[in-house]
Amino acid sequence: EVQLVESGGGLVQPGGSLRLSCEASGFAFSRYWMSWVRQAPGKGLEWVANINQGGGEKYHVDSVRGRFTVSRDNAKNSLYLQINGLRAEDTAVYYCATTANGYFDHWGQGTLVTVSS
Amino acid sequence: EILMTQSPATLSVSPGERVTLSCRASQSVNSKLVWYQHKPGQAPRLLMYGASTRATGVPARFSGSGSGTEFTLTISSLQSEDFAVYYCQQYNNWPQTFGQGTKVEIK
């Protein structure tokens, strides 16, 4: 059974940083593209970033480029999202997901990031 | 960026009813359209990909149709476990974009 467990969220002040983690199990992690998708309170879903199997190809949505960086460690079956320069509008639940051809076939339960002073 | 528009925003239905959800793309996405089901506090669940192919384990009461810019998700007979928010998402163009969701609630 595919399992994705996110962690690392919390309350952070504007301008602060966080590192989100996603631990994967139940499938061959190193064979999959992986993504981060977020949902702001009361809003819909927004793709944030994705990364290819080896970690050499990465893409980020325009609104986070330069502030967020996706990475992975296949030896640890883990996906990461380094978030810097946090803004109030980054407040959201952040999900990791396996990615197939541009859509998301398995998701974690998410980790909440709250940006507030 | 392709804009995805879902309608209606909220649908109030009774168990056993047939439900049709709509999703419109601002330009053609061919058949590269997926549907997700999302319940509060849970992980979103992939229901449909390629506009009309059910994901593994999805009951046959769920069906999808459409291509180009107009898509529908139909639930033939709504069950209690189907009350949720449903999102469409296109993956034809980068960046992949989602609709704002349709909430299916108990009438």
Side-chain angles (χ1 to χ4, degrees), chain A residues 22-41:
Chain A
C22 171
E23 187 172 337
S25 61
F27 67 104
F29 178 75
S30 62
R31 292 186 184 179
Y32 283 79
W33 278 78
M34 295 294 296
S35 298
W36 289 96
V37 178
R38 67 183 178 183
Q39 184 174 35

Side-chain angles (χ1 to χ4, degrees), chain A residues 80-104:
Chain A
Y80 306 102
L81 187 66
Q82 179 66 42
I83 307 176
N84 299 326
L86 276 159
R87 306 168 179 169
E89 56 265 33
D90 297 320
T91 294
V93 176
Y94 286 74
Y95 299 96
C96 71
T98 60
T99 305
N101 301 315
Y103 59 89
F104 314 107

Side-chain angles (χ1 to χ4, degrees), chain A residues 37 39 43-47 50 59-60 62 65 95 101-105 107-109, chain B residues 34 36 38 41-46 49-50 87 89-91 94-96 98-100:
Chain A
V37 178
Q39 184 174 35
K43 303 291 186 181
L45 298 165
E46 178 187 34
W47 167 77
N50 57 15
Y59 301 94
H60 301 79
D62 287 349
R65 193 171 298 127
Y95 299 96
N101 301 315
Y103 59 89
F104 314 107
D105 45 358
W107 300 61
Q109 301 235 2
Chain B
V34 297
Y36 303 97
H38 193 195
Q42 295 188 19
R45 175 194 182 191
L46 176 68
Y49 61 93
Y87 293 95
Q89 178 229 318
Q90 66 82 21
Y91 56 102
W94 188 93
Q96 47 271 60
F98 293 85
Q100 79 281 17

